[in-house]
Amino acid sequence: MFWPMFAVAVGFLGLAVLGVFAVRVFLEARRLGQQVAASASRIGKAAEDLERAAVSAARAVDSL
């Protein structure tokens, strides 16, 4: 009777450990998603700044 109860306890412990890891993966994936969104926003702003600078440089070249 000891071994079946031991197997059930070890199985439950294994599921608990997997649950903890699943929560950690979920939280890290959410944090990564937030970082990707912030990076995309910064890249978009940099692209807009680059476009404005290119237009300004083109106007300066045309006026020469």
Side-chain angles (χ1 to χ4, degrees):
M1 190 67 177
F2 170 75
W3 290 111
M5 289 174 48
F6 180 73
V8 169
V10 168
F12 179 75
L13 182 62
L15 287 176
V17 168
L18 287 176
V20 168
F21 285 141
V23 169
R24 289 183 63 189
V25 166
F26 172 75
L27 293 175
E28 289 299 319
R30 191 170 70 171
R31 187 173 64 91
L32 178 62
Q34 291 171 347
Q35 288 179 348
V36 167
S39 296
S41 175
R42 286 194 302 258
I43 288 171
K45 184 180 180 310
E48 290 172 2
D49 292 345
L50 182 60
E51 186 175 350
R52 279 195 298 271
V55 168
S56 177
R59 285 184 187 152
V61 169
D62 284 341
S63 67
L64 289 178

